[in-house]
Amino acid sequence: MQLKKTQQGPRNIRRQLAVATCSLLAGASHAGGLIASGDNWKIDSALLLYAEKDRVSLAEGILSISKEIDDDEFINARIVTDVLTGSSPNGAVPSNTAQTFTNPSGNSTYTEAANTTPLNHTFKDLRNALSVEWDTPLSRSLRGTIGGNISREYDYLSTGISASLAQDINQRNTTLTLGFSLNKDTWDPVGGVPVGFTVMPASPAKKAIDGASTDKTVKEILFGVTQIINRQTLMQVNYSRGQGSGYLTDPYKILSVLENDGSGNLRGTNPYIYENRPDQRTYQSLYWKGVHQFPNENVLNLSYRYFWDDWGIQSHTVDLRYRFDFDGGHYLQPHLRYYQQGAADFYRQTLTDGEETTLSYASADYRLGEFVTQTIGLKYGFEFKNGAEINFRAEMITQKGKDRSADAVGILQNQQLFPDNEAYLLQGGLSLDSDMVIKYIMHFFKK
Amino acid sequence: MIKTTLFSLCTALVLSACSLEPVQPWDRDILAQQKMQLVADPLEIYLDEHTYFSKEASSGGQSVGGGGCGCN
């Protein structure tokens, strides 16, 4: 026993120093936290239950395994599965009469009651994703990380690679990070890829399509600086730029087309058309994060992001987590998040008859509108003496949007066009080492 | 205007870092704690980013990669 302690001592110190160094590297890597525990695999798992009021419900499970395969060299693999059911706004506005829509397949219809947000009730999906990452030292002060990811839904395939370099300078108090990622995605939407601005025909007629599948490419680059401010404070500043090209439209979203008379009534024939977005998008962001530990050992984690793109969207995000540590390994962590977004230039809640022939692009997707998201949550965690951790969190997310007054004409002035949303999130997490799992299994079978 | 101001603040922050007293490796016991990492709970952050990616037009900033999704 004593021998074991003696052997573990220097290794633990070295591992702690590795953690201190790697803390500066988390900026470019999406997986982050590639800290395996000694010779064992580190196993992190989480289950998320997410439910929107009268809309989407989701269960998402994650299993992440990490290992230090050589001195300061780490690998990580993450498996994600999520199951999603429920309803999602289809883009049409509420009306004072019931509205009937054609399902994406064109084989059936669904009807929404008067004065309710039209929802697509065929929203079901199963997503499986796998990502792997390898993080290795390239010299005494330079680290490299490469990774790959693939995810599959029944109508969407995403494949990607990422790479980053992290150069320590200033006695390893400053780390400069350069990251790059490339994603190639393929849409295979139900019923084919609708031609933008063509009508949603009444079933059983089929929509005009531009093939059965389509692609998009997303490239991102990130430059970051992480700085140790003092013994208790760490800061990070990132600038990132991304470019999407290809099919950036949502094949399931439509727009309501109104009569030209200002009445707010849907036009008599073919009142719904498929949305159409630009096939290029360049977006940028500036991101700042600070982590500070107070003398009472509580930790503040605060971040701010300013995001803008060439679609006219700008957003501000503030995220605050404050961890209160208690005796015996317990902690509580409140979480507040505030997100404010401006609308895309081509965001429209309605069009008027014939307007689709004069516009290049239009979308009624609420995610391109002007809105505010607020999140309030609380996490409880317990750290076992052997290093394992179990945690739970509950959060409430509210999303409130602003209607475009120019689109809310006539009878629509009495309707709420933006589909405000309320969602609840529950999450449980468990982290432990592989040797703990083996011990538990052995203990179980001994019984 | 916002962009210029933010870029200026970031540049000032980076330049001011040069004048900081370096923290030596043996003084990094606090910074080495898991709760002091920039991403203290990677799975929680992954789930948050996936959730907000599907509900908002903005994403990223903290990292690159992570994969696409038909949800947005």
Side-chain angles (χ1 to χ4, degrees):
Chain A
M1 195 65 181
Q2 184 59 45
L3 180 64
K4 192 175 180 183
K5 275 185 181 173
T6 308
Q7 283 179 336
Q8 280 192 340
R11 185 166 179 80
N12 280 340
I13 292 167
R14 188 183 60 74
R15 198 183 308 149
Q16 278 212 326
L17 290 174
V19 170
T21 306
C22 288
S23 69
L24 300 180
L25 307 177
S29 152
H30 203 277
L34 294 177
I35 308 305
S37 179
D39 296 327
N40 300 307
W41 289 86
K42 185 173 188 292
I43 302 169
D44 297 298
S45 60
L47 176 66
L48 170 77
L49 301 175
Y50 170 90
E52 297 177 357
K53 204 173 177 181
D54 303 324
R55 295 191 201 163
V56 167
S57 296
L58 173 137
E60 183 165 10
I62 307 185
L63 178 67
S64 170
I65 54 175
S66 312
K67 184 171 173 47
E68 183 178 10
I69 54 175
D70 203 344
D71 277 356
D72 282 345
E73 184 178 349
F74 302 92
I75 54 167
N76 169 266
R78 188 176 59 213
I79 302 166
V80 182
T81 294
D82 57 65
V83 183
L84 185 145
T85 59
S87 310
S88 176
N90 65 10
V93 292
S95 171
N96 58 354
T97 59
Q99 302 185 77
T100 299
F101 304 95
T102 305
N103 277 322
S105 65
N107 298 327
S108 58
T109 61
Y110 59 97
T111 300
E112 280 295 337
N115 307 315
T116 57
T117 299
L119 304 173
N120 180 352
H121 298 276
T122 60
F123 216 46
K124 285 179 189 166
D125 215 338
L126 169 67
R127 185 175 77 107
N128 292 302
L130 170 69
S131 64
V132 291
E133 198 166 272
W134 175 43
D135 177 16
T136 186
L138 300 173
S139 72
R140 281 180 59 84
S141 60
L142 180 67
R143 299 188 69 84
T145 305
I146 57 171
N149 57 271
I150 181 168
S151 77
R152 178 72 188 164
E153 298 157 60
Y154 78 100
D155 59 355
Y156 199 86
L157 174 68
S158 175
T159 54
I161 54 169
S162 61
S164 65
L165 290 171
Q167 175 69 54
D168 294 327
I169 57 172
N170 187 23
Q171 299 177 51
R172 293 197 170 188
N173 277 243
T174 307
T175 302
L176 307 176
T177 307
L178 182 65
F180 169 78
S181 73
L182 170 68
N183 249 66
K184 300 282 274 184
D185 296 1
T186 302
W187 263 114
D188 186 16
V190 176
V193 182
V195 177
F197 285 164
T198 58
V199 300
M200 168 190 267
S203 178
K206 301 295 182 191
K207 63 193 172 194
I209 62 169
D210 185 15
S213 65
T214 187
D215 303 315
K216 77 172 178 186
T217 302
V218 179
K219 301 174 201 165
E220 290 181 344
I221 190 165
L222 178 145
F223 175 69
V225 180
T226 305
Q227 177 66 41
I228 293 176
I229 304 298
N230 55 40
R231 283 192 66 200
Q232 300 84 22
T233 312
L234 193 63
M235 281 190 192
Q236 180 184 50
V237 177
N238 292 337
Y239 165 75
S240 63
R241 182 184 175 93
Q243 186 174 46
S245 57
Y247 188 77
L248 306 179
T249 298
D250 188 321
Y252 302 125
K253 298 288 188 198
I254 58 173
L255 287 135
S256 299
V257 185
L258 309 178
E259 295 284 12
N260 272 323
D261 55 8
S263 65
N265 291 317
L266 293 169
R267 74 180 175 191
T269 55
N270 296 319
Y272 311 112
I273 62 171
Y274 286 97
E275 66 158 46
N276 191 33
R277 305 184 192 183
D279 59 7
Q280 295 284 331
R281 183 189 186 200
T282 300
Y283 53 92
Q284 300 173 75
S285 70
L286 272 173
Y287 179 90
W288 172 88
K289 179 180 258 191
V291 183
H292 176 73
Q293 184 166 147
F294 294 93
N296 58 8
E297 299 189 4
N298 293 341
V299 175
L300 170 72
N301 189 313
L302 179 66
S303 68
Y304 167 77
R305 178 186 64 189
Y306 176 62
F307 175 100
W308 70 102
D309 70 8
D310 59 359
W311 285 3
I313 293 169
Q314 292 187 31
S315 74
H316 302 271
T317 312
V318 178
D319 192 286
L320 184 152
R321 292 164 212 258
Y322 190 89
R323 173 168 157 154
F324 295 92
D325 272 10
F326 299 97
D327 291 341
H330 303 272
Y331 70 86
L332 281 175
Q333 184 173 275
H335 176 212
L336 295 173
R337 181 180 185 271
Y338 180 85
Y339 174 84
Q340 183 265 321
Q341 173 182 309
D345 296 335
F346 55 87
Y347 175 68
R348 295 290 303 270
Q349 290 177 308
T350 62
L351 296 179
T352 55
D353 187 19
E355 202 177 5
E356 69 271 29
T357 61
T358 63
L359 295 174
S360 299
Y361 311 108
S363 171
D365 188 337
Y366 72 95
R367 295 169 297 189
L368 300 178
E370 181 178 351
F371 64 86
V372 168
T373 309
Q374 290 175 291
T375 304
I376 181 166
L378 183 67
K379 179 181 181 183
Y380 162 76
F382 177 69
E383 293 173 341
F384 294 84
K385 285 180 180 170
N386 61 6
E389 177 176 330
I390 188 165
N391 56 60
F392 303 93
R393 70 168 170 149
E395 302 206 330
M396 184 176 80
I397 302 168
T398 56
Q399 208 164 31
K400 288 191 184 300
K402 189 176 175 185
D403 288 345
R404 285 188 85 246
S405 55
D407 294 343
V409 297
I411 57 173
L412 293 182
Q413 290 174 11
N414 300 321
Q415 301 284 356
Q416 186 188 351
L417 304 190
F418 189 94
D420 289 350
N421 196 7
E422 194 172 301
Y424 299 90
L425 180 158
L426 289 173
Q427 183 191 318
L430 177 66
S431 297
L432 67 180
D433 277 358
S434 54
D435 66 337
M436 295 177 199
V437 177
I438 292 166
K439 278 180 191 168
Y440 293 146
I441 292 171
M442 298 277 283
H443 183 70
F444 179 80
F445 280 107
K446 274 182 185 173
K447 276 186 174 178
Chain B
M1 181 62 187
I2 293 175
K3 292 168 204 166
T4 310
T5 307
L6 286 171
F7 269 116
S8 304
L9 281 172
C10 291
T11 306
L13 182 69
V14 171
L15 292 177
S16 65
C18 302
S19 61
L20 293 169
E21 185 72 24
V23 175
Q24 300 302 326
W26 50 86
D27 283 332
R28 296 188 189 179
D29 52 334
I30 293 172
L31 293 169
Q33 296 169 2
Q34 182 63 32
K35 64 181 180 181
M36 284 297 290
Q37 306 311 298
L38 287 165
V39 181
D41 187 340
L43 298 195
E44 181 180 322
I45 297 303
Y46 172 85
L47 289 168
D48 277 358
E49 289 191 350
H50 186 213
T51 300
Y52 295 116
F53 174 74
S54 70
K55 298 289 157 197
E56 297 166 349
S58 314
S59 61
Q62 187 168 6
S63 59
V64 292
C69 172
C71 53
N72 196 346

